[in-house]
């Protein structure tokens, strides 16, 4: 039993003085070269071009209708001349509306 305790203490001491515990592990740092920078920027540029193309495509295929809301009206009727395919999203905009952020 004492032998096991001694081995346990030795392994505990080895763990306390290990390179991992002391944060002395060898580090990896990327080497920045002109060719690597060109490749990385080209890859990200192509990805952002594709993503931007999708955004432009979906933005151009959306329908936007603005109607002003009068205080007396409780219902607003909108006539849409084209057929819409689901999903249909309806957004509204509030102007001159200020939230009170005071905490009590």
């Amino acid at each position: 039993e004492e032998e096991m305790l001694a081995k346990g203490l030795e392994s505990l001491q080895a763990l306390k003085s290990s390179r991992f515990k002391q944060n002395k592990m060898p580090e990896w740092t990327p080497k920045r070269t002109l060719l690597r920078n060109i490749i990385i920027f080209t890859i990200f540029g192509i990805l952002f071009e594709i993503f931007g193309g999708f955004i432009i495509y979906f933005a151009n295929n959306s329908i936007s209708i603005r109607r002003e809301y009068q205080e007396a009206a409780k219902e607003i009727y909108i006539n849409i001349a084209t057929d819409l395919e689901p999903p249909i999203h309806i957004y509204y905009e509030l102007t001159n509306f200020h939230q009170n952020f005071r905490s009590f």
Side-chain angles (χ1 to χ4, degrees):
E1 188 174 293
E2 287 183 20
E3 224 175 89
M4 289 180 65
L5 184 60
K7 283 184 181 180
L9 287 174
E10 285 175 15
S11 64
L12 183 62
Q13 288 295 342
L15 180 64
K16 284 183 179 179
S17 63
S18 70
R19 293 176 71 193
F20 179 75
K21 187 77 172 178
Q22 297 298 323
N23 199 14
K24 294 181 180 178
M25 298 294 288
E27 62 187 37
W28 177 82
T29 55
K31 295 179 182 172
R32 298 184 188 119
T33 63
L34 181 62
L35 181 61
R36 285 187 183 176
N37 285 343
I38 290 172
I39 291 171
I40 290 171
F41 279 107
T42 302
I43 290 171
F44 277 107
I46 291 170
L47 291 175
F48 285 132
E49 289 274 337
I50 293 169
F51 184 66
F54 279 118
I55 290 175
I56 290 172
Y57 172 76
F58 287 116
N60 288 337
N61 288 334
S62 66
I63 296 173
S64 178
I65 299 173
R66 296 185 79 144
R67 295 286 183 257
E68 201 164 311
Y69 178 78
Q70 291 82 21
E71 290 183 26
K74 293 183 180 179
E75 295 178 358
I76 297 176
Y77 295 98
I78 300 172
N79 292 326
I80 301 173
T82 61
D83 290 333
L84 300 177
E85 295 179 16
I88 299 172
H89 301 283
I90 299 174
Y91 299 98
Y92 62 92
E93 177 182 351
L94 299 175
T95 56
N96 296 328
F97 179 80
H98 305 285
Q99 176 66 37
N100 185 358
F101 288 108
R102 243 187 294 170
S103 59
F104 297 98

